[in-house]
């Protein structure tokens, strides 16, 4: 049995500034900063440990649904309701490039490891890959084998993994052009990878998180207790891969034991839907974001 006391459930800071619901909050690579985005069409950079707002990025015409920053913290990418993918310079706050091509809202974005390519997931049932270094606005690749909205994307050195409302988690090997599809039977609204790279955690709209073996596609475990029926809610593993964390539509955060799926901790974190959870890469610290307009920093 794992130690519950090491799980972050003490509210350390509340980050306020968004004028409306926060749709995502993400630690940067070393966990010293975090980025958030939301209904107010802005992206915000914070020092969550000191509770300080550093910068606001404004250029999107509609809500911003996702944001990701490069390992060296120099560039960020964002997407949302205006159908565009924005590539930003972090220091100046300027948009370097706008990638257009998605036919509808863009749900998720990720940089590859080298920050040379961005992959976006759209409501138009497609994944698109964009070359950050090229001046072309055309995507370098379009994957449109999904039969419904693509909600979430993860990247490895050689693969694009995505979750869709069509109930699948699909893995595309970029080198050999192979696609593997795992059907979970329920709409997938978020996926995240374990830190060891062996598993995918998928949040489904039947209020269940499912853990998949990345090599075999085998369903390893299911995590229940939270409410997830109509919103896109993040899920993640803690930095040791010992626990699973997720938000709930009733404002609660849940921690489960990875192996036996027991609920180790649940607490009221926000006054409304918890849209986002992001775990610190090395410390026992987590941030959460909510439709209530706040981002909270949790420590032990």
């Amino acid at each position: 049995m794992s130690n519950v006391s090491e799980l972050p459930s003490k509210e350390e800071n509340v980050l306020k500034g968004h004028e409306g619901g926060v749709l995502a909050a993400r630690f940067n690579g070393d966990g010293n900063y975090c980025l958030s985005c939301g209904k107010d069409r802005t992206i915000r950079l914070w020092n969550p440990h000191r509770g300080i707002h550093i910068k606001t990025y404004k250029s999107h015409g509609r809500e911003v649904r996702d944001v990701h920053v490069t390992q060296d913290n120099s560039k960020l990418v964002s997407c949302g309701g205006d159908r565009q993918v924005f590539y930003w310079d972090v220091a100046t706050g300027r948009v370097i490039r706008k990638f257009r091509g998605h036919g509808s809202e863009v749900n998720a974005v990720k940089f590859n490891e080298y920050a040379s390519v961005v992959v976006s997931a759209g409501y138009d049932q497609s994944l698109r890959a964009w070359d950050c270094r090229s001046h072309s606005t055309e995507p370098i690749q379009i994957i449109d084998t999904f039969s419904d909205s693509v909600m979430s994307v993860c990247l490895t050195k050689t693969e694009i993994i995505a979750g869709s409302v069509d109930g699948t988690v699909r893995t595309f090997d970029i080198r050999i052009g192979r696609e593997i599809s795992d059907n979970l039977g329920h709409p997938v609204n978020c996926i995240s990878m374990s830190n060891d790279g062996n598993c995918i955690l998928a949040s489904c709209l039947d209020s269940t998180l499912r853990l998949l073996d990345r090599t075999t596609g085998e369903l390893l475990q299911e995590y229940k207790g939270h409410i997830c029926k109509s919103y896109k809610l993040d899920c993640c593993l803690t930095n040791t891969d010992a626990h699973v964390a997720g938000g709930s539509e009733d404002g609660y955060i849940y921690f489960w034991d990875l192996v036996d799926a027991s609920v180790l901790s649940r607490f009221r974190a926000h006054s409304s839907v918890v849209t986002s959870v992001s775990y610190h890469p090395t410390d026992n610290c987590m941030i959460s974001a909510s439709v209530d307009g706040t981002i909270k920093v949790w420590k032990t």
Side-chain angles (χ1 to χ4, degrees):
M1 182 67 181
S2 36
N3 187 5
V4 180
S5 66
E6 70 199 28
L7 294 171
S9 57
K10 177 177 156 283
E11 187 183 295
E12 185 89 356
N13 280 314
V14 182
L15 310 178
K16 289 182 177 165
H18 278 285
E19 295 162 26
V22 186
L23 299 176
R26 314 262 180 254
F27 275 114
N28 74 323
D30 61 16
N32 290 333
Y33 300 94
C34 71
L35 283 151
S36 60
C37 58
K39 294 265 194 188
D40 64 1
R41 308 176 179 188
T42 69
I43 298 150
R44 290 167 195 258
L45 174 65
W46 315 80
N47 180 326
H49 310 290
R50 294 175 61 195
I52 295 169
H53 172 253
I54 300 165
K55 200 172 177 72
T56 299
Y57 301 84
K58 287 184 187 172
S59 189
H60 275 283
R62 289 190 55 195
E63 86 280 355
V64 188
R65 297 188 177 190
D66 198 12
V67 61
H68 191 213
V69 66
T70 55
Q71 281 297 113
D72 68 1
N73 301 316
S74 68
K75 307 288 191 298
L76 63 90
V77 65
S78 61
C79 67
D82 57 14
R83 307 178 175 195
Q84 301 184 69
V85 175
F86 285 34
Y87 177 58
W88 306 75
D89 183 85
V90 171
T92 64
R94 290 203 184 102
V95 177
I96 303 166
R97 199 156 300 128
K98 294 179 184 178
F99 299 119
R100 297 183 180 91
H102 277 289
S104 196
E105 296 94 334
V106 189
N107 295 316
V109 281
K110 282 278 190 338
F111 281 108
N112 69 344
E113 192 183 356
Y114 313 105
S116 57
V117 173
V118 166
V119 178
S120 55
Y123 191 78
D124 63 4
Q125 310 185 6
S126 79
L127 285 169
R128 289 167 194 257
W130 314 88
D131 186 347
C132 298
R133 295 169 300 191
S134 147
H135 287 284
S136 165
T137 50
E138 293 297 304
I140 50 177
Q141 190 171 8
I142 300 174
I143 298 169
D144 54 8
T145 51
F146 297 91
S147 57
D148 208 327
S149 178
V150 192
M151 296 301 293
S152 185
V153 63
C154 291
L155 304 181
T156 68
K157 279 190 173 73
T158 59
E159 292 155 317
I160 300 171
I161 306 152
S164 169
V165 176
D166 70 13
T168 64
V169 173
R170 300 183 196 221
T171 304
F172 304 90
D173 191 312
I174 305 154
R175 294 167 307 177
I176 59 176
R178 182 187 59 176
E179 173 188 335
I180 298 167
S181 179
D182 296 306
N183 193 348
L184 300 186
H186 299 276
V188 178
N189 67 359
C190 176
I191 61 167
S192 69
M193 204 174 327
S194 61
N195 298 283
D196 63 13
N198 294 333
C199 301
I200 287 279
L201 183 66
S203 167
C204 300
L205 285 176
D206 63 336
S207 300
T208 307
L209 301 179
R210 291 177 169 88
L211 189 70
L212 303 175
D213 185 297
R214 236 168 53 73
T215 326
T216 64
E218 182 193 354
L219 178 64
L220 299 174
Q221 191 53 277
E222 296 186 338
Y223 309 90
K224 297 176 191 276
H226 65 301
I227 304 163
C228 177
K229 291 174 180 168
S230 47
Y231 284 84
K232 177 176 181 177
L233 305 189
D234 277 345
C235 55
C236 67
L237 286 96
T238 58
N239 54 37
T240 59
D241 285 337
H243 308 106
V244 168
S248 181
E249 289 176 14
D250 57 5
Y252 278 77
I253 286 173
Y254 280 73
F255 284 104
W256 293 267
D257 183 86
L258 179 86
V259 179
D260 70 14
S262 58
V263 175
L264 296 176
S265 170
R266 64 182 279 272
F267 55 92
R268 187 79 192 262
H270 292 274
S271 61
S272 186
V273 178
V274 181
T275 51
S276 200
V277 289
S278 177
Y279 212 87
H280 193 282
T282 52
D283 301 343
N284 284 326
C285 173
M286 190 173 77
I287 51 173
S288 61
S290 171
V291 170
D292 70 13
T294 65
I295 299 137
K296 293 190 177 180
V297 185
W298 306 92
K299 301 203 172 174
T300 46

